[in-house]
Structures are given as C-alpha cells and as structure tokens.
Amino acid sequence: MERSIHLNAATAEHYQFALELYLLTMRPYTQELMVWDEAKQRASFATLWKLSEVRIVAVDGREVGWLQVQESPTDVHLLQFFIAPDQQGSGIGTEVLRSLLPTWRAMAKPVLLTVLKNNPARRLYERLGFSVVGDSGVKYEMKLNT
C-alpha cells in the first residue's frame, strides 16, 4: 500500500505539537552529551520557532513530524527536522528530504544543517549527500555536496 506524504504550512496551533515532538526526540540524545534543562530547552525553542519557516509532515493525513528551513540570500539552512519516534526508520525522513533536495540544489546556494554527534539522523543526512564540514562541540556542521 502506497502512503501519501505531504508538507503542509504550519499554523500557530502547531506550536505545541512541534514543541512536544522536539522535547520528546531531543531529550535522549541531549542527555547523553550534557545536562538536560527543560526550562532552557523550552525557552530556546520559543526563540527559534518561526512559523513562516515551518512545515508539518503529514502521512496519510496524520501529522507525524515537522521541519524548519531558513533561506537567506547566501544559503539554505535546515534548522530543525523531527519525525515522531514511532514513525522513525520507516523512510518518511528520506522521502521528505528527497522531495526537497532538487529545489534546494536549484537555488545554487550551500545547504547547511547541524546535528548532535550522537543522533542517528546523521546517517540519513550522509546517505542523501551531506558531509561533515565542521565541529561545534556537541554537534557536527554538515553541508550538502553539490
């Protein structure tokens, strides 16, 4: 059975969904590398959340993730990308990113992201053409190969 994956514009009502998914998915990896400070994480999330940059990942009409992409005159930055833990490993992340890569490549700008060093999502990014280009402590900086 074929599934239908869509990226939908986020609304203000998606804030809580995105926050809860962020906290759920980031806590285990962050705790391995540093002390988890819930209040600090929530405050950081509130600062970074930009509704106009967020798309909600829906599979067969069910919201299962979200991503935030910031475009500037000089680059494209994948700031956040989260898929619900019970949906991870099913190819959703791969399909979403594969659908975005042609558009990003056509912009002829560097496509950048950071990922926690212990986050298995790094393998996904590498499979899709990203390489580690820097190290910022607990995170790797990655760039899409052109």
Side-chain angles (χ1 to χ4, degrees):
M1 185 171 107
E2 193 171 318
R3 64 183 172 199
S4 172
I5 299 177
H6 293 281
L7 292 179
N8 302 317
T11 66
E13 290 74 33
H14 286 109
Y15 181 89
Q16 195 63 35
F17 165 77
L19 172 62
E20 294 303 321
L21 188 52
Y22 167 80
L23 295 172
L24 176 67
T25 56
M26 291 304 294
R27 185 180 289 118
Y29 302 118
T30 303
Q31 284 179 323
E32 289 179 9
L33 300 171
M34 66 187 89
V35 174
W36 176 265
D37 182 332
E38 183 91 11
K40 183 178 174 185
Q41 292 294 328
R42 286 175 178 269
S44 175
F45 181 90
T47 301
L48 297 173
W49 171 267
K50 303 279 185 281
L51 187 59
S52 63
E53 299 172 348
V54 175
R55 297 293 172 266
I56 302 299
V57 179
V59 176
D60 297 328
R62 179 175 166 239
E63 295 174 347
V64 299
W66 65 279
L67 58 89
Q68 183 172 351
V69 178
Q70 183 179 76
E71 294 178 34
S72 78
T74 58
D75 62 36
V76 176
H77 202 120
L78 178 59
L79 297 174
Q80 312 280 350
F81 186 33
F82 299 98
I83 301 295
D86 68 338
Q87 298 294 309
Q88 291 175 7
S90 67
I92 295 168
T94 298
E95 285 187 53
V96 168
L97 290 177
R98 279 196 179 137
S99 74
L100 294 169
L101 288 175
T103 302
W104 290 345
R105 283 192 169 107
M107 292 178 180
K109 301 186 230 183
V111 179
L112 310 168
L113 63 86
T114 59
V115 62
L116 285 172
K117 289 181 176 180
N118 63 341
N119 189 331
R122 175 183 166 200
R123 291 189 301 276
L124 165 66
Y125 300 136
E126 289 173 334
R127 271 197 329 270
L128 294 175
F130 286 83
S131 296
V132 173
V133 295
D135 182 323
S136 59
V138 297
K139 292 183 177 183
Y140 287 120
E141 299 161 357
M142 301 185 80
K143 180 179 174 183
L144 182 62
N145 301 320
T146 52

